[in-house]
Amino acid sequence: MAYSTPDIFSRTERLAGKEALERLSDVKVLIVGTGGVGSWCAESLVRSGITQLTIADSDVVCASNVNRQLMATARTIGIPKVNALRERLSDINPDACITALYERFSEDTASLFRLEEYDYIVDAIDSIPDKMTLILKSLETGAVLFSSMGAALKTDPSRISVAEFWKVHGCPLAKALRTGFKKSGRFPSRKFQCVFSDERLENRPSADESGNGVAVHITASFGFRIASLVFNDVTGLAGH
């Protein structure tokens, strides 16, 4: 069967309308962190009509990623996450402009990311210092920021919610970020929405003591929820 871009987005157009589909194609989106949350967010956005997407991450795929990250398979182990994900996304829409930035976001590298060029920025990183920096610098631009709080140690997707950062509750990562901002004396310049869950389970003993337990149905749900925030904001469908 012949491929054409209009064909793959015909159902999106029937939902959102032609003008909204054009807006989805026009906006520029940056996802920082392409792990369990960011990879599924990227998949959803590209399948929904986003065609100008930058994905950023400094890690390579490892075996422990396979249980939750979209592009992590036995074949992609050892490949930079952004390269494996870009290949996947380009298979979905060959006409999309997918930029893979194989770089860690930090205070030292922030200028490389050109945050001011984007309409939407998705924060899907775990490092608290880097996350604080991304939040602070993103909010200094005109971009809309959506941030993922902690997705580990959870099993119930029905408890995933959206709230303004200072109203997030029951999330250790959000608490750590707020403490960090208070200690540094630097605070977000405006409000922003976060995806979070107040569920908190305990780690079980494992031969591998690094990292927290996590399941794909939670990380993917976080990613899809963030993608929905971008989609609904661009199309204006939220609240209908």
Side-chain angles (χ1 to χ4, degrees):
M1 181 178 294
Y3 155 84
S4 71
T5 300
D7 288 342
I8 65 176
F9 296 120
S10 61
R11 295 298 184 97
T12 309
E13 183 175 339
R14 293 185 69 178
L15 173 68
K18 183 177 181 179
E19 291 183 1
L21 189 60
E22 290 174 352
R23 290 197 298 272
L24 286 166
S25 180
D26 287 341
V27 298
K28 295 181 179 180
V29 181
L30 168 66
I31 299 177
V32 185
T34 58
V37 174
S39 61
W40 294 98
C41 180
E43 167 105 351
S44 180
L45 290 177
V46 170
R47 287 188 184 275
S48 297
I50 294 293
T51 62
Q52 299 182 74
L53 177 65
T54 298
I55 49 176
D57 201 300
S58 63
D59 289 338
V60 299
V61 177
C62 65
S64 64
N65 299 150
V66 175
N67 84 316
R68 68 194 183 281
Q69 298 182 12
L70 174 71
M71 65 289 170
T73 65
R75 181 185 65 81
T76 61
I77 290 174
I79 298 174
K81 290 180 181 180
V82 291
N83 292 352
L85 183 57
R86 177 176 57 185
E87 181 179 351
R88 161 80 177 193
L89 300 177
S90 296
D91 282 344
I92 295 170
N93 183 6
D95 293 334
C97 178
I98 311 296
T99 301
L101 187 56
Y102 185 38
E103 183 69 64
R104 175 175 177 170
F105 184 92
S106 68
E107 190 78 47
D108 294 334
T109 64
S111 62
L112 301 176
F113 287 72
R114 300 181 179 179
L115 300 179
E116 69 280 356
E117 296 184 359
Y118 297 95
D119 301 294
Y120 292 88
I121 298 173
V122 173
D123 158 35
I125 54 179
D126 297 325
S127 164
I128 291 176
D130 296 343
K131 199 174 189 75
M132 289 173 59
T133 300
L134 178 59
I135 290 170
L136 292 171
K137 291 187 177 295
S138 295
L139 296 176
E140 292 172 356
T141 73
V144 176
L145 171 69
F146 295 120
S147 180
S148 174
M149 297 294 104
L153 299 176
K154 307 175 193 306
T155 63
D156 185 356
S158 72
R159 292 174 68 170
I160 297 172
S161 303
V162 178
E164 200 281 321
F165 172 67
W166 294 102
K167 294 182 179 180
V168 172
H169 57 88
C171 174
L173 178 56
K175 182 179 179 180
L177 287 169
R178 289 194 286 258
T179 298
F181 287 134
K182 291 173 183 176
K183 286 184 176 179
S184 71
R186 301 172 65 196
F187 295 93
S189 59
R190 52 189 170 90
K191 295 181 179 181
F192 62 101
Q193 297 292 305
C194 301
V195 173
F196 75 100
S197 169
D198 62 358
E199 184 182 14
R200 178 71 175 176
L201 303 178
E202 296 297 324
N203 262 335
R204 293 179 180 272
S206 170
D208 178 9
E209 296 299 332
S210 63
N212 291 319
V214 64
V216 67
H217 64 276
I218 296 296
T219 61
S221 295
F222 267 66
F224 288 150
R225 192 66 184 269
I226 294 175
S228 77
L229 295 175
V230 176
F231 180 86
N232 289 340
D233 197 65
V234 175
T235 62
L237 291 177
H240 286 249

